[in-house]
Amino acid sequence: MNFLTILPLAVVMVAGTQIVAAVLLASAERPRAASLGYLGGTGAVVLAGVTVSWLVTRVLGGPVGDAESHVSRLQRTATRIDWAVLGLLVVLAVIVYLRRHETGPPRWMQRFQRAAPATAARLGAVLVATSPTDDLAMAAVGASSARHGLAWWHLLPFVLLTLLLLALPLLVLLIAGRHAAVTLPRIRGWANRHAWVVSEVVIAFFALVTVLDLLR
């Protein structure tokens, strides 16, 4: 396994409310400042989330006495982590399925049309920190990376891809200009209708990788 394997879970991170919020902020009164604030808040929480999961997993698989017992413990710990990750993915898939009919942003989010960068940053942080799907995805990414001995920096491409996906509405605004008023609602509509399907496909792929590790 390498960092490329965990990248698809970035799609799960942004599917649903997160990308809809990014569209709303790209349509706000100060779209560039609000969007950048949103990306900053989101990025900070995602980086912290995967780092904590990675560190905890590394600690759980820490060194023991002699080399033979160390290898034996590492093998047992790796198996437990794989089962834990698989369990997280199953719960994640169930949550995504149960929430598949939830469309549109919460009503309280409408007031962020006039959001300042600091307010947008808090919105991004809160949406990620309080989202069960994001919490489970970050836990799975960090634990799986540590279980396979990947260095911390391997988490960075995952964080950057998550931010890139959330930055798509802002990029559309910068590239399309006045035509963004037509394009952005289409992105929002597509996310509302199909994001859960894409998320389930990605979760299934990552679950398959984890099962293959268990069978080795």
Side-chain angles (χ1 to χ4, degrees):
M1 176 181 176
N2 54 47
F3 72 90
L4 294 176
T5 310
I6 64 177
L7 288 183
L9 279 180
V11 176
V12 179
M13 290 290 301
V14 306
T17 304
Q18 285 71 19
I19 191 64
V20 170
V23 172
L24 286 176
L25 292 173
S27 308
E29 292 183 357
R30 300 171 58 193
R32 293 168 179 80
S35 296
L36 290 176
Y38 179 69
L39 294 174
T42 301
V45 175
V46 174
L47 181 60
V50 295
T51 298
V52 168
S53 177
W54 182 85
L55 286 173
V56 169
T57 306
R58 287 287 292 258
V59 170
L60 292 176
V64 294
D66 58 273
E68 184 176 350
S69 61
H70 178 57
V71 171
S72 177
R73 177 177 174 178
L74 285 179
Q75 290 174 340
R76 292 195 303 270
T77 301
T79 300
R80 294 191 188 104
I81 292 172
D82 280 337
W83 278 111
V85 170
L86 189 59
L88 289 174
L89 293 172
V90 170
V91 174
L92 181 57
V94 171
I95 292 176
V96 169
Y97 181 78
L98 293 177
R99 299 174 64 180
R100 68 191 185 282
H101 296 308
E102 296 181 10
T103 59
R107 292 181 179 178
W108 58 265
M109 198 181 291
Q110 298 293 341
R111 64 188 178 90
F112 286 94
Q113 287 292 303
R114 298 183 179 181
T119 304
R122 288 194 293 272
L123 172 64
V126 168
L127 285 179
V128 173
T130 60
S131 169
T133 54
D134 285 353
D135 293 337
L136 291 171
M138 289 186 292
V141 167
S144 187
S145 298
R147 173 260 184 268
H148 288 88
L150 298 181
W152 174 84
W153 68 265
H154 286 88
L155 300 171
L156 297 181
F158 170 80
V159 177
L160 293 176
L161 180 58
T162 300
L163 294 179
L164 176 61
L165 293 174
L166 286 178
L168 288 178
L170 177 60
L171 295 176
V172 169
L173 176 67
L174 297 176
I175 295 172
R178 65 179 185 275
H179 299 294
V182 176
T183 307
L184 289 177
R186 290 178 178 174
I187 295 176
R188 175 178 164 182
W190 188 94
N192 281 332
R193 293 190 301 272
H194 305 294
W196 77 272
V197 178
V198 177
S199 294
E200 295 287 30
V201 171
V202 171
I203 294 168
F205 166 76
F206 201 72
L208 176 61
V209 172
T210 305
V211 169
L212 292 177
D213 283 332
L214 284 168
L215 294 176
R216 290 177 182 172

